């Protein structure tokens, strides 16, 4: 066993003290480093940490730079992701975004100038190359988003480059195509010159780009869009199907009167040998609810293509708001009876609507409610009764309009409801709801 002499004890005490001192210094050093590091991180988080994405990243960039340039804002928007541009536009319009302080007037002005300069900045890079070759998708989405908010007719040339393959046969992604179509629709709504620009550019576009333009035009229902669609009819067989679908859509949404040119075009396509075109023509005619094509649609109930036959049946029910099984014989029998009544009795029944006797008016209304082939023509004759001084007559007129479901009655019914309370108010609301319905259900 090892013996420790009395002379070694002071030495051991001194060594132990020194070791303890060294350990204490090292421990204090580590603790101090950790504290300082934590404190430094906290300071950075509170004062200088750069947000990684979202609108907060964009606002940080706007507030950080005194003279904000388009390039810096573009980089921030690319990093921020899809919500960055949406949030910035909201702030520029004076709106509020959760978790972000509003921009003052000067910052909004600076940010708007930098934002509207982004398309020119992107377009200036490698102008000799096609857009889909040299531009990053994120930058392109930002540019198209700027066009959607601030673009005008001259920007259409750039936007159209992203609707289909370019000269290098490279096609943009589905996301870019969708963004381009959305920008195109927004400019059509904002700038009346845009439709004229499209007409001049359209013939030189590739097929895929033309289809995208037609969809965009159809998404902006107006008389101008209907005129544009009809002006392209009959020129390229590949576009017939999409033109038919968009024409029907525009007419249905706008409620525009169908002129002879539009009706003749749609009716001619019912003689096509292409089932796809027949289906689109049936759908378009069903949407515009023209009773002049009922005979043609009845013949298509016997078509060899079951989809064509079922679409023709849908169109017949939509036009007439009448439920009959898909039998050409039954439809033809009903159609013949309705035509015979219209030609021989309708005029006399409608004349009764002007009778001073409310009972005679009521009898005429009840008779008219059972004839749906000419429901829009009948609705025109009933609408003046909504101003009748007799509340009972007004209520009966509303009840018949509810059955007829004519879109022609929507505005007059709205006016009746706006005039205030009355015994016929509930009838008017029910009729309006029925007339506003899209499609037909039994």
């Amino acid at each position: 066993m090892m013996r420790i002499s009395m002379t070694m004890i002071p030495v051991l005490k001194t060594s132990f003290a020194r070791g303890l001192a060294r350990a204490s210094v090292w421990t204090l050093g580590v603790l101090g480093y950790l504290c300082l590091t934590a404190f430094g991180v906290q300071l950075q988080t509170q004062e200088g940490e750069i947000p990684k994405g979202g609108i907060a990243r964009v606002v940080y960039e706007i507030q950080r730079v005194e003279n904000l340039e388009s390039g810096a804002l573009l980089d921030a928007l690319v990093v921020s992701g899809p919500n960055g541009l949406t949030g910035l536009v909201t702030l520029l319009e004076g709106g509020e975004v959760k978790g972000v302080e509003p921009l003052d007037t000067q910052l909004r002005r600076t940010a708007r100038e930098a934002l509207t300069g982004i398309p020119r900045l992107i377009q200036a890079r490698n102008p000799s190359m096609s857009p889909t070759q040299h531009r990053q998708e994120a930058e392109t989405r930002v540019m198209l988003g700027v066009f959607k908010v601030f673009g005008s007719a001259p920007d259409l040339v750039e936007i159209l480059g992203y609707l289909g393959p370019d000269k290098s046969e490279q096609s943009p992604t589905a996301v870019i195509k969708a963004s381009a179509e959305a920008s195109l629709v927004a400019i059509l709504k904002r700038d009346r010159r845009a439709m004229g620009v499209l007409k001049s550019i359209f013939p030189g576009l590739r097929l895929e780009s033309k289809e995208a333009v037609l969809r965009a035009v159809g998404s902006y229902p107006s008389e101008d869009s209907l005129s544009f669609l009809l002006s392209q009819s009959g020129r390229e067989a590949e576009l017939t199907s999409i033109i038919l679908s968009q024409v029907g859509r525009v007419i249905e949404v706008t409620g525009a009167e169908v002129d002879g040119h539009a009706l003749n075009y749609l009716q001619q396509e019912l003689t096509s040998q292409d089932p796809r075109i027949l289906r689109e023509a049936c759908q378009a005619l069903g949407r515009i609810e023209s009773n002049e094509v009922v005979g043609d649609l009845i013949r298509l109930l016997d078509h060899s293509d079951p989809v064509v036959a079922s679409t023709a049946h849908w169109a017949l029910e939509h036009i007439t708001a009448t439920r009959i099984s898909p039998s050409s014989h039954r439809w033809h029998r009903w159609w013949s009876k309705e035509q015979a009544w219209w030609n021989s009795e309708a005029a006399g029944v409608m004349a009764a609507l002007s009778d001073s006797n409310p009972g005679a008016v009521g009898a005429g209304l009840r008779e008219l409610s059972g004839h749906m082939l000419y429901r829009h023509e009948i609705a025109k004759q009933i609408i003046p009764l909504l101003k009748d001084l007799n509340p009972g007559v007004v209520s009966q007129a509303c009840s018949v309009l509810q059955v007829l479901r004519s879109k022609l009655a929507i505005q007059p019914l709205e006016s009746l409801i706006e005039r205030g309370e009355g015994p016929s108010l509930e009838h008017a609301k029910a009729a309006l709801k029925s007339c506003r319905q899209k499609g037909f259900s039994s």
Side-chain angles (χ1 to χ4, degrees):
M1 178 180 294
M2 181 178 174
R3 294 179 178 271
I4 301 176
S5 64
M6 296 299 292
T7 57
M8 295 177 62
I9 292 175
V11 176
L12 291 174
K13 288 181 177 179
T14 303
S15 299
F16 178 76
R18 287 176 180 174
L20 182 62
R22 289 194 188 98
S24 300
V25 171
W26 183 85
T27 302
L28 290 173
V30 171
L31 291 174
Y33 174 78
L34 292 175
C35 291
L36 289 172
T37 302
F39 182 67
V41 169
Q42 184 178 9
L43 287 178
Q44 182 183 16
T45 301
Q46 291 179 352
E47 298 179 3
E49 184 181 9
I50 301 176
K52 294 182 179 180
I55 182 59
R57 174 69 176 84
V58 179
V59 172
Y60 169 83
E61 191 66 35
I62 294 172
Q63 294 174 337
R64 183 181 69 87
V65 182
E66 183 175 352
N67 296 314
L68 182 65
E69 296 181 352
S70 298
L73 183 57
L74 173 61
D75 293 340
L77 288 169
V78 168
V79 173
S80 71
N83 295 331
L85 180 59
T86 304
L88 177 56
V89 171
T90 301
L91 292 175
L92 293 181
E93 294 175 347
E96 296 182 358
V97 178
K98 185 178 181 180
V100 179
E101 294 184 3
L103 299 176
D104 60 35
T105 303
Q106 180 58 41
L107 286 178
R108 288 205 303 268
R109 185 183 302 112
T110 302
R112 182 182 291 269
E113 291 176 357
L115 187 62
T116 54
I118 285 178
R120 292 191 299 274
L121 174 67
I122 295 177
Q123 292 164 7
R125 298 176 182 174
N126 301 322
S128 61
M129 299 177 68
S130 64
T132 54
Q133 284 179 308
H134 74 272
R135 291 181 186 161
Q136 297 180 4
E137 179 169 324
E139 291 187 354
T140 301
R141 291 176 65 180
V142 171
M143 181 184 67
L144 292 172
V146 174
F147 281 145
K148 181 179 179 180
V149 181
F150 301 106
S152 59
D155 299 317
L156 291 175
V157 176
E158 177 71 25
I159 293 173
L160 292 175
Y162 295 98
L163 293 176
D166 55 31
K167 294 180 181 179
S168 67
E169 302 296 339
Q170 188 168 352
S171 183
T173 64
V175 173
I176 293 298
K177 289 179 184 178
S179 299
E181 285 195 38
S183 301
L184 178 55
V185 174
I187 292 178
L188 285 170
K189 293 179 179 179
R190 186 164 53 245
D191 192 342
R192 290 188 62 86
R193 301 172 298 167
M195 202 67 74
V197 173
L198 280 182
K199 285 183 179 180
S200 62
I201 298 174
F202 192 83
L205 298 177
R206 293 196 170 199
L207 180 63
E208 188 174 349
S209 297
K210 288 182 177 180
E211 291 175 344
V213 168
L214 293 172
R215 283 194 301 270
V217 171
S219 299
Y220 168 53
S222 67
E223 292 183 5
D224 290 339
S225 58
L226 181 59
S227 174
F228 178 89
L229 292 168
L230 291 174
S231 69
Q232 305 304 323
S233 62
R235 295 188 177 185
E236 297 180 64
E238 298 88 347
L239 298 176
T240 299
S241 178
I242 190 169
I243 289 176
L244 286 169
S245 65
Q246 298 307 314
V247 166
R249 177 182 182 180
V250 170
I251 292 175
E252 180 184 39
V253 174
T254 61
E257 292 287 340
V258 183
D259 60 18
H261 173 57
L263 186 60
N264 288 337
Y265 164 64
L266 295 172
Q267 199 165 5
Q268 286 174 4
E269 297 302 336
L270 290 179
T271 62
S272 173
Q273 300 300 312
D274 186 340
R276 185 184 58 170
I277 292 177
L278 284 174
R279 293 195 298 269
E280 293 293 351
C282 288
Q283 278 198 332
L285 289 165
R287 283 175 166 178
I288 66 176
E289 300 180 2
S290 172
N291 55 23
E292 295 185 34
V293 296
V294 168
D296 298 309
L297 293 170
I298 289 174
R299 285 191 289 273
L300 288 176
L301 291 176
D302 296 325
H303 196 276
S304 57
D305 187 315
V307 180
V308 172
S310 63
T311 309
H313 184 229
W314 170 87
L316 285 168
E317 291 188 334
H318 202 84
I319 291 170
T320 63
T322 300
R323 180 75 69 185
I324 300 176
S325 63
S327 163
S328 59
H329 174 71
R330 291 180 180 177
W331 271 101
H332 194 277
R333 183 174 58 187
W334 175 86
W335 179 52
S336 299
K337 291 174 65 175
E338 285 290 285
Q339 284 185 308
W341 174 85
W342 180 259
N343 293 328
S344 61
E345 302 179 41
V349 176
M350 288 189 290
L353 300 181
S354 302
D355 199 296
S356 58
N357 182 2
V361 175
L365 288 171
R366 287 191 294 273
E367 171 68 17
L368 292 172
S369 66
H371 298 279
M372 303 298 288
L373 178 61
Y374 296 95
R375 59 194 180 99
H376 297 303
E377 291 84 350
I378 292 173
K380 283 184 180 180
Q381 302 299 318
I382 295 176
I383 287 171
L385 294 178
L386 297 179
K387 297 181 180 180
D388 197 276
L389 298 177
N390 188 324
V393 171
V394 176
S395 296
Q396 285 181 300
C398 290
S399 297
V400 176
L401 290 174
Q402 181 179 353
V403 174
L404 296 177
R405 299 181 56 196
S406 174
K407 57 189 176 183
L408 301 178
I410 291 177
Q411 193 278 327
L413 286 168
E414 289 175 338
S415 299
L416 175 60
I417 294 172
E418 288 174 1
R419 290 201 291 269
E421 296 292 335
S424 58
L425 186 59
E426 293 305 317
H427 292 89
K429 290 180 178 180
L432 180 60
K433 181 180 179 181
S434 176
C435 293
R436 281 178 171 170
Q437 285 182 340
K438 299 291 184 182
F440 171 71
S441 59
S442 58

